[in-house]
Amino acid sequence: MAIQFNCVSSMLILVLLSISSVEGQGGGGGGVIDVVAKFGAKADEKRDLTTTSPAKIVIPKGIYFLSTATLGGPCKAPIELQVEGTVKAPANPGAFKEPKWITFNKIENFKLFGGGLFDGQGTIAYKREGCKNHDYCGSLPINLRFDFLTNAMIQDITTKDSKQFHVNVLGCKNITFEHFTVSTPDESPNTDGIHIGRSDGVNVLNSDIKTGDDCVSIGDGSKNLVINGVTCGPGHGISIGSLGLFKNEEPFDGVTVKNCSFTNTSNGVRIKTWPGAERGICSNIHFEDITVTNVSSPIIIDQKYCPWNKCKINEESKVKLSNISFKNIHGTSALPEAVKIICSATLPCENVELVDIGITHSGSTGPAVSQCSNVKPKVSGKQNPAPCSAPLPAKPTSTA
C-alpha cells in the first residue's frame, strides 16, 4: 500500500496500520482511530484536524513491507519517527511510478532515529536488465528523500541496497546525519550514499558509507556543509559536483571535509565540473586530516569530468573554482597519479593550497606523482609526491 499523509496526528498513526508485517509482528493488523477520543477533534466544522502538538511514530522491531510513503507538510510541530525494525521496499523496480520510495517533505523540527534499517532491495535494479523495454531504468527510486526540511536530525539509521541514490537532500536548512550507515555492494551503479543539493547547514558526522558510487556527492547551491568522521569504501569518494552541466545552477560556497578515511575507493576527495557546458561558481572548499588506503585518485580536481565521453571534451569548463585547500592528507595511492589538479584554461583555479601531503605508491609503475594544469598551488609543509611533478597527459584520464 502506498501512503501519503500530511501533518495530522490521526493520519500519522496510519503509517503503522498500513505497513504490512512480513515477519515478527503478526499479520499486518488493522484498527480504527477515533479522532474525537484520541485527539480531541470536534465535529463542529470549525476545529482544524491538524495539530501543532508534537507527534511521535514508532515502528517496533520486526520486518515490514512498504510500497511507498510520503510525509508531506508544511509541518511546524516537532515530529519524531522512531524506527527500530527493518522496512523493505518492493524488489521489482517496475513497481515504482516515481523515482522515490520514502519522502519527507516540508517539515520543521523532524527527527528520524532508532537503529532501524531501510532496505531498498535493489539487487534486480543493479543488473539493469530489460532497460530497453521499460521506463523504470531512468527513474529508479531513491530510498530516502528529505525535501525542504528545517532543523532535522537523522541518527542511528541504516539504508541498504537502494535502487538509486540512498539519500537525496534538497532545499534543506540545518539537517544533520549522525551515526548514519549506508550499505551497498561496489558493483551497484548510481547508488550515491548521500546526495546534497541547494541546502544550507548540512552536517554528516561519524558515519559509515559503503556504496557503488560517491559516498557523499554535493551539488549546486549548497553552502555551509560539514562532513566529519566519515569512513568511505567501497565507493567513488566524497565529491563536490558534478557542476556546470545544467543552466542556472546556483553558486556553491563553503564545505569542510575533515577527519575522514577512504579505503579501496576510486577517488578520495574530489571536485568535478563538466567541460564546455554551463557557467558556475564554486568556492571555499576545505579538505583536512584525511587518510587514504589504496585509493586510485586520492586528491583530484577534475574540470574535464566526462563520464561515458558524453561531453565537449575539447572545450574548457565554465565553472570558476577558488579558495580550495588540501591539508594533512596521508596514505597510499593505488595508481601513480596521487594528486591531479586539472583546472580550466579559460577560468584557472585560484588560491589552491596544498599543506602536508604524504601519499605513497609502491606499485611496479613507479613512485607517486602529481599532475597540474592551469593552476599554481600554494605549497607548504612536507610534500609527497612533489607538487606538479609530472606533465599532464594530452588526454587526461576521465574519472568515475
Side-chain angles (χ1 to χ4, degrees):
M1 177 180 292
I3 307 169
Q4 178 104 22
F5 56 104
N6 297 317
C7 295
V8 181
S9 289
S10 59
M11 293 296 286
L12 295 178
I13 307 301
L14 287 178
V15 175
L16 291 182
L17 299 182
S18 302
I19 295 177
S20 298
S21 177
V22 177
E23 176 183 301
Q25 296 296 321
V32 176
I33 301 297
D34 187 332
V35 296
V36 175
K38 186 71 177 177
F39 303 112
K42 288 186 177 181
D44 56 7
E45 300 185 45
K46 294 180 181 180
R47 181 170 297 190
D48 196 334
L49 273 175
T50 59
T51 178
T52 57
S53 300
K56 184 174 182 177
I57 308 163
V58 178
I59 299 178
K61 291 182 179 180
I63 302 177
Y64 304 88
F65 174 84
L66 176 62
S67 57
T68 61
T70 298
L71 171 56
C75 310
K76 294 186 178 294
I79 295 176
E80 293 187 357
L81 176 54
Q82 182 175 337
V83 180
E84 300 173 351
T86 295
V87 182
K88 290 191 172 185
N92 181 5
F96 295 87
K97 296 180 180 180
E98 296 180 277
K100 57 184 181 179
W101 177 31
I102 300 173
T103 301
F104 304 95
N105 182 41
K106 296 181 180 178
I107 309 170
E108 295 185 25
N109 305 306
F110 174 70
K111 185 176 182 179
L112 171 61
F113 68 108
L117 183 149
F118 293 93
D119 185 352
Q121 300 205 92
T123 303
I124 295 175
Y126 303 155
K127 299 176 182 179
R128 296 296 197 264
E129 293 178 350
C131 283
K132 293 181 179 180
N133 301 320
H134 298 281
D135 295 333
Y136 64 75
C137 295
S139 58
L140 291 166
I142 295 167
N143 263 13
L144 302 171
R145 290 191 63 105
F146 300 95
D147 298 338
F148 308 104
L149 271 57
T150 301
N151 300 328
M153 169 66 77
I154 317 301
Q155 189 175 51
D156 295 315
I157 290 293
T158 296
T159 169
K160 176 185 177 183
D161 292 345
S162 181
K163 297 175 180 65
Q164 202 199 142
F165 294 176
H166 280 266
V167 170
N168 192 81
V169 178
L170 176 65
C172 291
K173 186 172 183 180
N174 299 330
I175 179 172
T176 296
F177 295 83
E178 186 173 23
H179 300 299
F180 189 78
T181 301
V182 175
S183 178
T184 304
D186 57 3
E187 67 271 15
S188 55
N190 204 32
T191 53
D192 293 30
I194 301 175
H195 179 74
I196 303 164
R198 302 196 176 190
S199 296
D200 185 354
V202 180
N203 302 298
V204 182
L205 310 175
N206 304 317
S207 296
D208 181 29
I209 302 177
K210 296 178 173 66
T211 188
D213 211 294
D214 292 330
C215 290
V216 180
S217 58
I218 310 170
D220 73 292
S222 300
K223 55 186 179 181
N224 303 318
L225 274 57
V226 174
I227 301 170
N228 194 325
V230 170
T231 60
C232 170
H236 293 180
I238 294 178
S239 296
I240 311 301
S242 58
L243 302 174
L245 180 60
F246 302 106
K247 291 184 178 181
N248 303 316
E249 289 188 356
E250 297 181 4
F252 186 113
D253 185 13
V255 61
T256 298
V257 178
K258 190 173 183 179
N259 298 319
C260 295
S261 63
F262 302 81
T263 303
N264 299 324
T265 55
S266 57
N267 303 288
V269 290
R270 172 170 65 159
I271 301 172
K272 51 182 178 177
T273 73
W274 290 80
E278 302 298 327
R279 296 185 179 276
I281 299 172
C282 178
S283 60
N284 300 313
I285 314 301
H286 305 291
F287 305 101
E288 185 174 353
D289 300 333
I290 304 296
T291 300
V292 294
T293 303
N294 195 42
V295 172
S296 297
S297 298
I299 297 174
I300 180 167
I301 295 177
D302 184 4
Q303 294 209 264
K304 289 285 188 180
Y305 179 70
C306 185
W308 317 292
N309 295 317
K310 292 183 178 181
C311 72
K312 300 176 182 178
I313 191 64
N314 294 322
E315 297 185 17
E316 299 298 323
S317 175
K318 300 174 185 177
V319 177
K320 178 66 176 180
L321 303 181
S322 62
N323 301 332
I324 300 164
S325 65
F326 302 91
K327 297 182 178 181
N328 192 30
I329 300 179
H330 294 83
T332 59
S333 175
L335 299 174
E337 297 81 10
V339 179
K340 298 168 72 173
I341 305 179
I342 304 169
C343 297
S344 169
T346 54
L347 292 170
C349 298
E350 290 186 356
N351 194 25
V352 176
E353 187 177 14
L354 296 170
V355 180
D356 291 324
I357 307 299
I359 303 173
T360 61
H361 172 67
S362 57
S364 59
T365 50
V369 297
S370 59
Q371 299 175 346
C372 296
S373 177
N374 305 308
V375 63
K376 294 181 179 179
K378 299 177 183 178
V379 177
S380 62
K382 295 181 179 180
Q383 296 288 324
N384 186 62
C388 303
S389 56
L392 187 71
K395 293 183 178 181
T397 302
S398 181
T399 58

